[in-house]
Amino acid sequence: MNAPIDVSFFPRAAKPITSYKPFWAKRFGTAPYLPMSRAEMEALGWDSCDVVLVTGDAYVDHPSFGMAVIGRVLEAQGFRVGIIAQPDWQSAEPFKALGKPNLFWGVTAGNMDSMINRYTADRKIRSDDAYTPGDIGGKRPDRAAIVYSQRCREAWKDVPIVLGGIEGSLRRIAHYDYWSDKVRRSIVVDSKCDLLLYGNAERALIEVAHRLARREPIENITDVRGTAFVRRASQPGWFEIDSTDVDQPGPVEAHINPYQTTSEQAAGQGAVCEAAEGASDSIAADHRPASAAGQKDLRPTEQPLRFVRNAARAASAGPHPNPLPEGEGANAAAVSLPLPLAGEGRGEGLAPAGGGQGWGPSAQKHPPRPPRDKTVIRLPSYEQVRRDPVLYAHANRVLHLETNPGNARALVQAHGEGATARDVWLNPPPIPLTTAEMDAIFDLPYARNPHPQYADARGRHDGETKIPAWEMIRFSVNIMRGCFGGCTFCSITEHEGRIIQSRSEDSIVREVEAMRDQVQGFTGIVSDLGGPTANMYRLGCKSPEIESACRKPSCVYPGICQNLTTNHDPLIAIYKRVRKLPGVKKVLIGSGLRYDLAVKSPAYVKELVQHHVGGYLKIAPEHTEEGPLSKMMKPGIGNYDKFKLLFEKYSAEAGKQQFLIPYFIAAHPGTTDEDMLNLALWLKKNGFRADQVQGFYPSPMATATAMYHTGLNPLVGVHRDERGEQVDTVKGERRRRLHKAFLRYHDPNNWPLLRETLKRMGRHDLIGSGKHHLIPAWQPAMGEGYQSPRRKNSTAAAPAPTLQKKKQSGQAQPAKGRVLTQHTGLPPRPSTTHGPAARGAPKPGSPVGRGKRD
């Protein structure tokens, strides 16, 4: 029952990662921690490192940290791996701390993109860093992957540089950079790395490491999936599809009526046919249909021509070489051959790039389609996408269409012109890991703690040197990878892939037991059993043929695909088994929940609500309005309502008072001011007061970022004419601040801006002191601000003298009409509340409920 059987039948024609012959250095055994100094290397008996990993994060030997996973995977293959964590990038000297690597440098900015890590969505620099001891900011540079690569090259210029991590993964082609507000080149070009590994890179990394160990030049390693590199010449034997422009329809000429005479044609053109002058009737008159009055209709009739594919020819030629994916017109009525997608069907005059024979119009009358594994799509060049937003959106669309490992083709994008021209070549995405391979990676001997050099004076990691990111996942277990949600503002699918890679039940239990026995401070509470999405464990496509051919960006939008399994029974079994383990008191679920999937399995919702919710559950509807939701590829708010009913039902059955905490995004592309107003009204109607507001953050390569930059919607096709869908993008500090203010309608500091906006929108009816009003007409005295339970989310306010005296006497009470909340969306504290909220439970469905102004 617990055998590592894959739920996905995706064909994995790849060498298992555990089948390689170990490198000779395997004899040194396993290190308690990967060394970060020469002294640690000497203690292990090493004279050098085969691979040196450079990372922007502090080194935490835990499977949730990328460098620990990569280091332990390489160690299991027999390589000696050292780590240089958060080096001083002002010179190359800190990069020489472990000596010259024998094989290659492994460089990453860390678990987060360095720009997102260092700056807020308003481009303000952060003062903290969750991946640094003591939560101290400034320990990594901007665009850390580029800076670290440059310093590695300075340290030892002849050592190959292999770049990885999410920063490199999301910048593998020319991309819009939100912080400089311009399109930047591929990070492969800017970092001057020898090879970029994108996505989950264990499979590619192991193959590259063994080939380099066999002394194969890195410039010859160009056939590994999930890699990108620079080349200056075309690849022999490949077929190139030109997709450097968008399709533009030419002029459409009206069809000539075959029954028109010469004189009628001349009259239509404003001329007179002399040969027909004086003729009373035209020959064609007898062929015109009779009108309803029984007279011949003298108007020429024009019927549009309808092209239908020849059935006999279709049977002999096989399927169309470029079929439309599901959702792109595949189910349309019988029409002519479908128009090609961006990046498809544009190769009528192609020949093999290397001069090969056997494909092209001259080869045969009905040429076969080229093999996908030898086909490359040429994207618009960096210079083109930098100048032309339409071509940027087009390139983004093509990239996202080529993300399924089962049918993705290679991509190439030119950078530079003339003598400096070079191509950035992207091989297809990596083959997903099997369950057995996932188990092998997570069963490696992680210490599950930060490196000892980060310990405080007591030898602990939970004091002044605490690493917040480790503290957050300290007692959590990752059970799967990947996400098929396809949310346009999220890049998980582009990085981890949409094929769910799940661990076996036994492997998960082993990790929980190791955490229970080894991690200091474990109190019996598992903080999370999840992944990118909490409830996609062992979900996948019912058909391997469909799964390997599908090109849809999401399996759950606009509705859940009929070919997707929604059986949550394996996940329920995991929850039940783990919570029954000795020493485990409670298992919480902290990962994001896909509630539109959860409602398909009421048994899962019951197990979740009655055993795995610690008072409140965070979910992310993101918005309530169809406009922004369609640009996010998120389900409608009706799915939230269905989940809420189940949540409340099973909470009541268990005799528990629990609450849903919805999260929303402000200023997402496609969001109008009216959409944000409607969301604010929904929040007030349902009694929510959002203390944390998430503004849209244009991360590299995300589809929503392409919308933000270009003002076009790549989801429905990219065109230069009226067929292209325009997207309302929220830019500028004032408008972004307005959308945030709608989410925090309860903060008096936002009321002046909201009053001005509501008057401009003609919504004076929402200003007043009644329950149906959004904001009051009066403004509190200067210095009075909204007091959030989270200090960082509050606006400092000078208390009134009377209230100050009460505080000094220890009898402080909130002013009438105000409320103190424990957390976003939670009810007020009974000890500081007046009225009905203090006497009993809040009204169902209204988590904040009390304290609204009458």
Side-chain angles (χ1 to χ4, degrees):
M1 179 181 67
N2 299 324
I5 300 174
D6 293 300
V7 64
S8 172
F9 297 100
F10 187 86
R12 294 175 171 88
K15 185 175 181 179
I17 63 174
T18 55
S19 63
Y20 288 81
K21 181 180 179 181
F23 191 58
W24 68 266
K26 180 81 172 179
R27 68 188 68 174
F28 286 103
T30 301
Y33 288 89
L34 300 178
M36 296 181 64
S37 65
R38 296 290 298 189
E40 292 177 75
M41 290 172 54
E42 293 171 359
L44 294 171
W46 300 2
D47 60 349
S48 62
C49 289
D50 300 310
V51 181
V52 173
L53 305 179
V54 181
T55 175
D57 295 338
Y59 169 35
V60 180
D61 200 44
H62 189 283
S64 292
F65 286 75
M67 276 298 96
V69 173
I70 293 301
R72 291 298 186 182
V73 165
L74 288 173
E75 181 188 56
Q77 298 293 322
F79 299 102
R80 294 167 293 177
V81 182
I83 290 186
I84 298 177
Q86 298 186 317
D88 181 1
W89 65 91
Q90 302 301 326
S91 72
E93 289 305 313
F95 293 78
K96 301 178 180 179
L98 301 182
K100 182 178 180 180
N102 299 324
L103 298 180
F104 64 90
W105 295 99
V107 177
T108 178
N111 271 20
M112 285 181 64
D113 183 282
S114 62
M115 300 301 288
I116 296 176
N117 179 278
R118 295 203 67 212
Y119 295 89
T120 69
D122 296 323
R123 298 190 180 97
K124 297 178 180 178
I125 194 164
R126 302 182 193 271
S127 59
D128 53 1
D129 185 343
Y131 292 88
T132 300
D135 199 18
I136 300 173
K139 292 295 184 179
R140 74 187 78 210
D142 289 353
R143 302 183 177 86
I146 296 176
V147 176
Y148 290 160
S149 297
Q150 293 171 344
R151 291 292 180 259
C152 289
R153 190 70 76 192
E154 289 179 27
W156 281 285
K157 64 180 180 180
D158 57 333
V159 177
I161 297 175
V162 177
L163 186 64
I166 195 166
E167 179 163 316
S169 196
L170 301 186
R171 287 173 161 81
R172 54 188 186 259
I173 65 169
H175 55 278
Y176 172 72
D177 184 79
Y178 173 64
W179 303 270
S180 59
D181 195 23
K182 67 179 183 181
V183 176
R184 291 180 61 93
R185 301 183 298 182
S186 164
I187 198 170
V188 180
V189 175
D190 282 344
S191 68
K192 297 180 175 60
C193 66
D194 296 283
L195 199 63
L196 167 68
L197 308 185
Y198 67 87
N200 290 133
E202 291 94 346
R203 191 184 301 281
L205 183 70
I206 290 171
E207 182 175 352
V208 169
H210 281 287
R211 290 171 68 171
L212 289 175
R214 296 196 296 266
R215 297 295 182 259
E216 183 176 348
I218 194 168
E219 57 268 18
N220 294 348
I221 304 177
T222 59
D223 57 343
V224 179
R225 295 181 65 111
T227 62
F229 46 87
V230 170
R231 64 164 31 126
R232 296 183 181 274
S234 298
Q235 182 75 356
W238 282 72
F239 302 92
E240 185 175 291
I241 294 178
D242 181 12
S243 188
T244 57
D245 202 355
V246 295
D247 295 322
Q248 299 185 47
V252 179
E253 298 181 0
H255 299 299
I256 299 176
N257 182 1
Y259 300 111
Q260 275 188 317
T261 63
T262 306
S263 59
E264 289 171 335
Q265 294 180 28
Q269 299 173 3
V272 177
C273 179
E274 296 180 359
E277 281 188 6
S280 60
D281 265 336
S282 69
I283 299 176
D286 292 334
H287 296 273
R288 293 174 189 144
S291 66
Q295 300 295 324
K296 299 284 187 180
D297 190 352
L298 300 181
R299 292 174 300 174
T301 60
E302 297 183 11
Q303 298 293 331
L305 295 182
R306 194 160 175 260
F307 296 90
V308 181
R309 193 179 184 191
N310 187 307
R313 177 176 172 183
S316 61
H320 186 255
N322 292 299
L324 285 171
E326 184 177 350
E328 293 286 349
N331 298 322
V335 292
S336 60
L337 294 183
L339 289 175
L341 284 172
E344 293 203 80
R346 305 196 42 136
E348 292 82 358
L350 297 180
Q357 302 296 324
W359 194 79
S362 60
Q364 52 179 317
K365 188 175 181 181
H366 307 303
R369 59 182 177 182
R372 299 187 78 88
D373 60 347
K374 286 293 183 181
T375 301
V376 61
I377 299 175
R378 179 165 291 279
L379 300 174
S381 69
Y382 159 68
E383 285 72 22
Q384 288 178 293
V385 299
R386 182 185 60 182
R387 295 189 298 260
D388 190 344
V390 176
L391 289 183
Y392 183 95
H394 169 71
N396 180 271
R397 177 177 170 85
V398 176
L399 177 74
H400 284 80
L401 283 172
E402 302 295 331
T403 56
N404 185 346
N407 61 14
R409 292 164 289 191
L411 303 174
V412 64
Q413 185 178 51
H415 284 64
E417 298 172 340
T420 62
R422 55 233 162 132
D423 284 341
V424 173
W425 183 286
L426 280 75
N427 281 327
I431 299 296
L433 298 176
T434 65
T435 295
E437 290 172 323
M438 286 282 288
D439 288 356
I441 289 173
F442 281 88
D443 287 346
L444 293 172
Y446 302 98
R448 301 191 66 86
N449 285 304
H451 191 276
Q453 82 167 36
Y454 303 126
D456 58 19
R458 301 175 301 154
R460 298 174 61 93
H461 299 281
D462 53 3
E464 63 274 9
T465 62
K466 180 175 67 178
I467 301 173
W470 169 73
E471 185 69 21
M472 183 176 67
I473 54 87
R474 184 179 180 181
F475 304 118
S476 69
V477 174
N478 193 341
I479 65 175
M480 46 78 70
R481 286 181 180 172
C483 179
F484 48 70
C487 300
T488 60
F489 54 82
C490 178
S491 301
I492 291 176
T493 301
E494 282 67 49
H495 182 63
E496 293 197 0
R498 66 178 183 177
I499 307 298
I500 302 302
Q501 304 157 76
S502 302
R503 299 170 61 184
S504 71
E505 190 174 306
D506 286 344
S507 175
I508 295 169
V509 169
R510 284 195 298 270
E511 183 172 353
V512 174
E513 291 174 335
M515 179 175 65
R516 175 196 63 192
D517 300 336
Q518 299 174 13
V519 180
Q520 190 176 45
F522 182 71
T523 61
I525 298 177
V526 178
S527 62
D528 189 23
L529 285 181
T533 303
N535 58 324
M536 287 187 182
Y537 177 75
R538 300 188 72 79
L539 298 188
C541 193
K542 298 176 182 177
S543 166
E545 292 80 13
I546 293 175
E547 184 176 40
S548 61
C550 181
R551 292 162 67 83
K552 290 178 64 176
S554 172
C555 299
V556 290
Y557 183 85
I560 296 177
C561 178
Q562 61 183 358
N563 297 307
L564 181 69
T565 59
T566 58
N567 180 16
H568 287 58
D569 289 349
L571 188 54
I572 296 173
I574 282 286
Y575 289 176
K576 289 182 176 179
R577 185 175 173 186
V578 173
R579 65 182 171 88
K580 292 179 181 178
L581 289 175
V584 175
K585 299 177 183 177
K586 192 173 185 63
V587 177
L588 299 175
I589 303 303
S591 299
L593 183 74
R594 192 80 195 198
Y595 54 86
D596 52 343
L597 281 174
V599 296
K600 296 294 183 179
S601 177
Y604 169 75
V605 180
K606 182 176 181 178
E607 170 71 19
L608 173 74
V609 171
Q610 296 188 350
H611 298 284
H612 306 284
V613 175
Y616 60 89
L617 178 68
K618 300 177 186 178
I619 57 176
E622 308 297 3
H623 217 284
T624 59
E625 304 305 299
E626 176 61 26
L629 288 174
S630 66
K631 306 303 183 296
M632 300 175 186
M633 291 207 302
K634 291 283 288 185
I637 198 65
N639 288 275
Y640 166 83
D641 295 331
K642 294 177 184 177
F643 181 79
K644 182 170 175 285
L645 289 175
L646 291 176
F647 183 88
E648 292 174 347
K649 173 186 175 182
Y650 294 127
S651 292
E653 286 183 5
K656 295 182 177 182
Q657 190 180 34
Q658 301 182 136
F659 307 97
L660 283 177
I661 311 301
Y663 277 63
F664 299 94
I665 293 181
H668 190 279
T671 308
T672 63
D673 297 350
E674 289 76 12
D675 291 331
M676 292 305 301
L677 170 59
N678 291 334
L679 174 55
L681 293 174
W682 185 92
L683 288 171
K684 178 157 188 178
K685 177 183 176 182
N686 289 274
F688 288 109
R689 292 186 172 188
D691 285 332
Q692 286 183 305
V693 175
Q694 179 182 0
F696 170 66
Y697 208 148
S699 59
M701 210 175 85
T703 299
T705 302
M707 297 181 192
Y708 177 88
H709 171 58
T710 66
L712 298 171
N713 184 5
L715 298 175
V716 297
V718 180
H719 308 280
R720 294 190 183 276
D721 53 23
E722 65 279 358
R723 295 174 298 161
E725 181 182 339
Q726 301 293 317
V727 177
D728 183 12
T729 56
V730 184
K731 296 183 178 180
E733 182 180 352
R734 178 179 176 81
R735 194 168 178 215
R736 287 178 65 89
R737 187 161 56 89
L738 170 63
H739 282 213
K740 283 184 169 183
F742 272 120
L743 279 181
R744 287 171 55 89
Y745 66 91
H746 49 278
D747 187 346
N749 291 281
N750 292 326
W751 292 349
L753 177 60
L754 292 177
R755 280 194 211 98
E756 176 187 342
T757 302
L758 290 175
K759 292 176 182 178
R760 175 176 53 80
M761 297 170 67
R763 297 305 307 270
H764 300 74
D765 58 304
L766 296 177
I767 304 175
S769 300
K771 290 185 177 181
H772 63 283
H773 293 123
L774 182 65
I775 58 173
W778 56 273
Q779 188 68 23
M782 291 297 294
E784 183 177 350
Y786 171 65
Q787 298 299 306
S788 166
R790 297 190 177 194
R791 184 179 58 183
K792 291 183 179 180
N793 298 326
S794 296
T795 302
T802 56
L803 184 59
Q804 183 66 27
K805 292 179 181 178
K806 291 182 179 179
K807 284 185 177 181
Q808 292 173 355
S809 62
Q811 300 176 353
Q813 294 292 330
K816 182 178 180 180
R818 300 187 60 186
V819 63
L820 298 178
T821 60
Q822 293 171 311
H823 191 275
T824 304
L826 285 184
R829 297 183 178 93
S831 61
T832 58
T833 314
H834 61 281
R839 296 190 294 270
K843 183 176 69 175
S846 182
V848 173
R850 311 298 179 254
K852 294 193 286 283
R853 220 174 269 287
D854 295 326

